[in-house]
Amino acid sequence: MKKVKMMTSTTTRRSALLIAALTATLLISGCKNVPPVTSGMGSDQIAPGQKFSKHLQVHNPELGKKLHISDIRSRTNNELLEINLSLTSTYEKTLKLQYQFTWFDKDGFVIEAGKAPWKPLDLHGMQTETVPGLAPTNQVASFSLYVRDVPEKFFKF
């Protein structure tokens, strides 16, 4: 009888430790402040026919319906391509976004992939904002602007 009672106590203790470990894991993973991982989706697939849509990549179709590039100005500065791109919201509320340029050479290969940081951008309702970009090398022939929205829960601490 005493041996059965000891085994029950040990099993209860192990179950309690397992539940505590699972709870701690869930709490830690729920508190991470990591933006979502995205893959690009061309806005020309979402809103075909827009003048500059081939340069805009978004991470979901809903965001693609809310944004478009209204103008692109470019020049060469010290042999580097410099871009001033006008990003326009067609959405009536504020969009909390992040953007990143991706640069391509004349053969369509990505130049310095993953080195450019995501930059924050708040685009208020129906606002147009100029987004500047400077190519990292003089080998750049074209570019894409990748835009993703950042859910508000990632800004709360």
Side-chain angles (χ1 to χ4, degrees):
M1 182 77 170
K2 194 173 185 180
K3 188 174 182 179
V4 171
K5 192 173 184 178
M6 271 182 61
M7 285 180 61
T8 304
S9 176
T10 303
T11 304
T12 303
R13 200 175 308 150
R14 284 185 184 167
S15 295
L17 285 173
L18 181 61
I19 290 171
L22 287 172
T23 303
T25 302
L26 289 173
L27 286 173
I28 290 169
S29 65
C31 293
K32 281 187 174 179
N33 195 13
V34 178
V37 175
T38 61
S39 60
M41 175 184 301
S43 68
D44 54 344
Q45 299 164 344
I46 301 162
Q50 291 184 359
K51 189 175 179 182
F52 303 110
S53 61
K54 70 178 184 177
H55 294 287
L56 181 61
Q57 301 284 317
V58 294
H59 79 292
N60 69 53
E62 288 303 313
L63 182 59
K65 293 174 186 173
K66 297 173 185 172
L67 296 174
H68 72 274
I69 297 173
S70 54
D71 191 27
I72 297 175
R73 296 184 184 264
S74 64
R75 66 181 176 191
T76 304
N77 186 3
N78 291 331
E79 298 185 17
L80 299 176
L81 180 64
E82 184 178 9
I83 300 291
N84 265 346
L85 182 150
S86 298
L87 186 64
T88 300
S89 170
T90 57
Y91 187 58
E92 36 192 61
K93 295 182 179 177
T94 298
L95 295 169
K96 293 209 174 279
L97 307 169
Q98 292 180 330
Y99 71 92
Q100 177 183 56
F101 279 95
T102 300
W103 306 97
F104 302 96
D105 67 11
K106 63 179 177 53
D107 298 318
F109 285 87
V110 175
I111 297 174
E112 297 188 6
K115 288 191 174 181
W118 288 94
K119 296 178 181 174
L121 174 66
D122 287 347
L123 208 54
H124 302 289
M126 313 303 273
Q127 181 185 11
T128 297
E129 185 73 32
T130 299
V131 178
L134 181 64
T137 72
N138 60 2
Q139 304 299 314
V140 169
S142 66
F143 67 94
S144 283
L145 180 72
Y146 283 76
V147 180
R148 65 183 181 186
D149 58 353
V150 180
E152 280 190 38
K153 68 180 181 182
F154 293 112
F155 290 107
K156 294 181 180 175
F157 297 101

